[in-house]
Amino acid sequence: MPARVALHPLTPADQDEFCSLVAASAELHTPWMQLPATPEAFRLWMRRFDDGANLGFLIRARETGAAVGLVNINSIIRGRYQGASLGYAAFAPSAGRGHMTEGVGLVMRHAFEELRLHRLEANIQPGNTASLALVRRLGFRYEGLSPDYLYIDGAWRDHERWARTAPAPWTPDPTLPDI
Ligand SMILES: CC(C)(COP(=O)(O)OP(=O)(O)OC[C@H]1O[C@@H](n2cnc3c(N)ncnc32)[C@H](O)[C@@H]1OP(=O)(O)O)[C@@H](O)C(=O)NCCC(=O)NCCS
């Protein structure tokens, strides 16, 4: 089946669309995810992409061009790790239609095949059933509970660690040591 969504690197030009979709998604995102909803907060937040350790993508519906969500590849580490962790959120107007499963799937392919990462993690609070269902659909495996893992909504929250490694055959990035 042809993909219903496509990946677009986040750019400063996405600011107004992004902020209004985040504002419209407050109920969906709370208490799991905090994203910028004002131009100033967006500009500050975008700095995380300056040094290449984090990459941000908008997921857009191919048919309409509308942004349906975002996926970030965070904390990319090379060397003997060659891994990163995923952050993602749907935008409320188009949530619950499978767009995010497709979009995160495209990001995984990009991460394993183009960036040649070996490992992707998703760290998810135990009560976040929609996010747990999404990673299960995408073949992530449960690796364990990390107590007090991330500071979210004013407190250190336990997270479940879910992960996938690159499917074979996998071409390593040149930064992977030989031995
Ligand atoms: C986690 C989150 C991104 C999941 O978004 P989502 O809209 O549920 O994900 P999808 O777009 O893949 O949609 C899946 C739903 O669409 C349904 N669906 C409809 N058509 C579908 C299709 N063609 N393919 C797959 N699913 C389809 C699925 O059944 C599922 O619904 P269900 O949960 O009622 O069974 C969203 O809940 C969110 O933004 N949460 C707040 C932020 C957050 O928690 N981020 C993650 C932090 S770890």
Side-chain angles (χ1 to χ4, degrees):
M1 202 162 69
R4 292 181 298 162
V5 298
L7 298 185
H8 296 261
L10 255 169
T11 73
D14 297 315
Q15 174 183 291
D16 293 349
E17 182 188 21
F18 187 94
C19 290
S20 62
L21 284 166
V22 167
S25 306
E27 203 177 317
L28 174 68
H29 293 172
T30 309
W32 313 119
M33 180 75 113
Q34 280 155 328
L35 290 167
T38 64
E40 198 194 350
F42 179 83
R43 280 194 291 274
L44 270 175
W45 184 80
M46 285 292 284
R47 287 198 201 150
R48 71 188 52 216
F49 304 119
D50 285 352
D51 69 358
N54 306 300
L55 302 174
F57 299 91
L58 279 182
I59 311 295
R60 290 189 182 279
R62 281 184 188 274
E63 205 173 297
T64 61
V68 297
L70 83 150
V71 185
N72 290 345
I73 304 178
N74 290 322
S75 310
I76 298 171
I77 296 173
R78 293 294 182 177
R80 295 188 184 280
Y81 183 62
Q82 301 289 330
S85 66
L86 296 182
Y88 44 82
F91 293 133
S94 47
R97 296 182 203 167
H99 286 130
M100 287 308 291
T101 300
E102 264 190 55
V104 177
L106 290 180
V107 168
M108 288 165 63
R109 221 165 105 181
H110 178 69
F112 289 139
E113 293 178 11
E114 313 298 328
L115 305 177
R116 301 186 187 179
L117 292 173
H118 178 253
R119 175 186 181 79
L120 290 174
E121 285 188 6
N123 292 288
I124 304 172
Q125 293 182 66
N128 192 347
T129 48
S131 182
L132 291 169
L134 184 144
V135 293
R136 278 199 193 93
R137 281 195 288 276
L138 289 167
F140 282 61
R141 62 176 183 263
Y142 175 69
E143 293 189 332
L145 185 76
S146 306
D148 297 340
Y149 186 70
L150 290 175
Y151 191 74
I152 301 205
D153 197 27
W156 290 97
R157 309 284 178 184
D158 297 352
H159 281 68
E160 294 184 9
R161 191 173 79 210
W162 290 73
R164 266 202 71 160
T165 48
W170 175 70
T171 309
D173 187 76
T175 56
L176 181 72
D178 286 339
I179 50 168

